[in-house]
Amino acid sequence: VQASDPPAAQLLRTLASFVPESTPFVEHRLIPSDLKHEPRRNALLVPAEVDSQLKPILDWLIPFWDRRRRKEEGNCCHPPTRVYDVVKTGAWYWVSLCNNRYCCQKGRSHKSNRICFSISVSQGHVRQYCLDQDDCKRGFTQFEIPPDVLAQAQVDCKR
């Protein structure tokens, strides 16, 4: 980013998906001064910090979701599906993936929107949600967690 560039060009250059750490954030009177670039996340297949209750479910869900996509879209050369983020709220886990945007509501992958899952171990199901409300008005698609996977998650929870 060059100080001599127009503010709009400075802003666009700093909003790229990968910005080298040394790149200064654009300065403009309308942009809060505390905004900064976020460090790039290293997404893992199943992050190490995932608790023992969720790990067997993610070990099942990721290949399951890859097979769904392959069935609908063919055996293209997709990068491996990875867990991007996991948030636990009460009895629910919210999981977002990267490298896989396959959406059951749409019947194909989204071009830019991520999908997310809510997982309830106590209810034994996974719901796939879509963040594109214009294309995917049905809300969610629900899948039952296989009994053996659910049993493993519940055993791990008691340890």
Side-chain angles (χ1 to χ4, degrees):
V1 175
Q2 302 294 322
S4 60
D5 289 341
Q10 291 180 36
L11 179 63
L12 285 174
R13 286 194 185 105
T14 62
L15 291 177
S17 62
F18 174 73
V19 178
E21 287 184 29
S22 62
T23 304
F25 199 82
V26 64
E27 293 179 20
H28 190 271
R29 64 182 174 80
L30 298 177
I31 298 175
S33 61
D34 60 341
L35 284 179
K36 61 183 183 293
H37 296 292
E38 293 295 324
R40 195 171 185 188
R41 288 184 178 208
N42 290 326
L44 303 170
L45 185 58
V46 177
E49 67 271 6
V50 168
D51 69 31
S52 61
Q53 185 177 35
L54 186 59
K55 185 170 181 350
I57 296 171
L58 291 178
D59 287 342
W60 160 77
L61 179 62
I62 291 171
F64 170 78
W65 209 248
D66 281 340
R67 286 190 304 272
R68 293 258 336 179
R69 175 175 60 178
R70 221 176 359 263
K71 180 181 172 192
E72 296 297 327
E73 298 180 348
N75 204 10
C76 300
C77 33
H78 297 289
T81 299
R82 305 234 183 252
V83 173
Y84 182 74
D85 197 17
V86 176
V87 176
K88 186 169 184 350
T89 57
W92 292 89
Y93 291 96
W94 293 88
V95 177
S96 62
L97 302 178
C98 57
N99 299 334
N100 194 332
R101 295 177 176 160
Y102 178 74
C103 175
C104 285
Q105 289 87 298
K106 196 167 185 138
R108 65 175 175 81
S109 292
H110 284 282
K111 289 184 171 81
S112 61
N113 289 330
R114 272 203 184 99
I115 58 162
C116 68
F117 297 94
S118 64
I119 300 172
S120 171
V121 177
S122 63
Q123 295 177 21
H125 64 247
V126 174
R127 292 177 176 170
Q128 181 257 311
Y129 288 88
C130 177
L131 303 177
D132 186 347
Q133 296 301 313
D134 292 334
D135 282 344
C136 305
K137 298 182 189 313
R138 289 188 296 172
F140 64 85
T141 303
Q142 183 168 301
F143 303 93
E144 300 306 312
I145 299 170
D148 59 320
V149 173
L150 192 56
Q152 182 63 45
Q154 291 166 340
V155 165
D156 287 344
C157 178
K158 294 175 183 173
R159 289 184 186 166

